[in-house]
Amino acid sequence: MDSQGISGREIARRLGVSRDAVSKYANQQDFSPAPAAPTARPGASVLTGFEHHIGQWLTDDDRRPRKQRHTAKRVFDRLVEEHGFTGAYSAVQRYAKKWKAAHRKPGEGFTELLWPAGTVQVDFGQAEAIIAGVRQVLHIFLVTFPFSNMRFVQAYRGETAECVAHGLRTVFEHINAAPRHLVFDNATGIGRRVGTKVVESKLFGAFKLHYRSESRYCNAYSGHEKGNERKRGRVPAPQLHGPAARSCLPGQAQ
């Protein structure tokens, strides 16, 4: 009713609420629900005296690369090895989950529901392939268009800025268009993450300028910001044979 130009007084009269309530909700910008507060569960008492160590380790993770941060299993192992902890892993797992939920930054933990056209999600994964009879691990470069749910894949020997630029250029030329917004899971290959800030490589910066594209990076502590590119199933290792098969792997000659 507010968007239709109806006055706050009239809205309050029609709905039978106060004018203060009308003003509050008409002017509210963010209606996203707050993450549910974790509830305490029995068994946490076995961690009495260890909370400081766990909190310090998880806090220090802010300055570490994403793949070098503590999992609940790593926290449990360190407590046993360094502090003689004799409790169960489940108690540590619950506490670590509760700690991360309590220290989650605003806006984390919810998947974007609307992906506009002209936005792509970019990520690397790994897969095995049998090339000329030899089983090898390849780095799979995945570009997903969530608006249309189209996916394009390239296989590389590594995860470098050159691989990212080559993979994106190949996709852009294939679809005859360059997306405006590039959303990355992390900065692998194109830069480095320092805390919450990402410093991109000069090569990738020049690549973006050339295509007039913008980039942003998902939060390192949340696994729910993209979602679309995560819908990947496992398939048997493909088998490729001979030089013709190798030519389908960009960068193979290098």
Side-chain angles (χ1 to χ4, degrees), residues 7-235:
S7 68
R9 182 190 299 273
E10 178 62 16
I11 295 174
R13 186 190 68 79
R14 294 186 186 183
L15 300 181
V17 297
S18 69
R19 294 182 61 185
D20 288 342
V22 173
S23 177
K24 173 184 176 182
Y25 289 104
N27 296 322
Q28 186 167 332
Q29 299 295 321
D30 186 2
F31 288 89
S32 299
T39 56
R41 296 184 60 181
S45 60
V46 300
L47 290 172
T48 300
F50 299 99
E51 297 95 331
H52 172 74
H53 301 296
I54 299 175
Q56 187 64 53
W57 296 337
L58 297 178
T59 300
D60 290 345
D61 279 351
D62 288 348
R63 300 188 294 272
R64 293 193 176 95
R66 185 170 65 92
K67 293 185 179 180
Q68 294 181 1
R69 295 182 182 132
H70 286 78
T71 61
K73 181 62 167 60
R74 177 56 181 153
V75 170
F76 174 75
D77 290 341
R78 288 193 65 179
L79 287 176
V80 173
E81 296 170 6
E82 301 176 19
H83 301 283
F85 179 67
T86 58
Y89 166 69
S90 59
V92 177
Q93 185 181 37
R94 288 194 299 269
Y95 183 86
K97 181 179 180 179
K98 181 175 69 174
W99 191 97
K100 292 179 180 179
H103 292 79
R104 181 185 294 133
K105 295 179 176 58
E108 291 181 21
F110 294 95
T111 303
E112 295 185 41
L113 300 180
L114 178 63
W115 290 94
T119 300
V120 298
Q121 300 173 355
V122 185
D123 196 14
F124 268 108
Q126 291 187 353
E128 290 186 340
I130 300 174
I131 304 176
V134 179
R135 183 179 293 272
Q136 303 180 35
V137 175
L138 300 177
H139 297 264
I140 306 302
F141 183 69
L142 176 64
V143 180
T144 303
F145 291 75
F147 184 80
S148 61
N149 205 32
M150 291 296 293
R151 293 175 173 83
F152 300 91
V153 177
Q154 296 273 102
Y156 291 93
R157 293 295 186 187
E159 301 180 13
T160 65
E162 289 82 358
C163 293
V164 174
H166 182 277
L168 288 174
R169 176 184 175 184
T170 301
V171 173
F172 295 172
E173 292 179 349
H174 178 72
I175 65 175
N176 197 30
R180 291 295 187 188
H181 304 284
L182 311 172
V183 182
F184 290 85
D185 189 45
N186 52 58
T188 299
I190 56 177
R192 65 184 187 279
R193 186 185 291 273
V194 181
T196 58
K197 182 180 179 181
V198 172
V199 180
E200 295 178 344
S201 67
K202 291 183 178 179
L203 173 64
F204 186 68
F207 177 88
K208 289 198 307 179
L209 288 174
H210 176 75
Y211 286 101
R212 299 184 179 182
S213 298
E214 299 176 351
S215 63
R216 70 177 175 88
Y217 300 83
C218 288
N219 189 286
Y221 314 102
S222 175
H224 309 284
E225 288 194 65
K226 290 205 294 183
N228 202 66
E229 58 83 20
R230 295 293 182 190
K231 300 174 183 176
R232 298 178 294 202
R234 295 184 177 274
V235 298

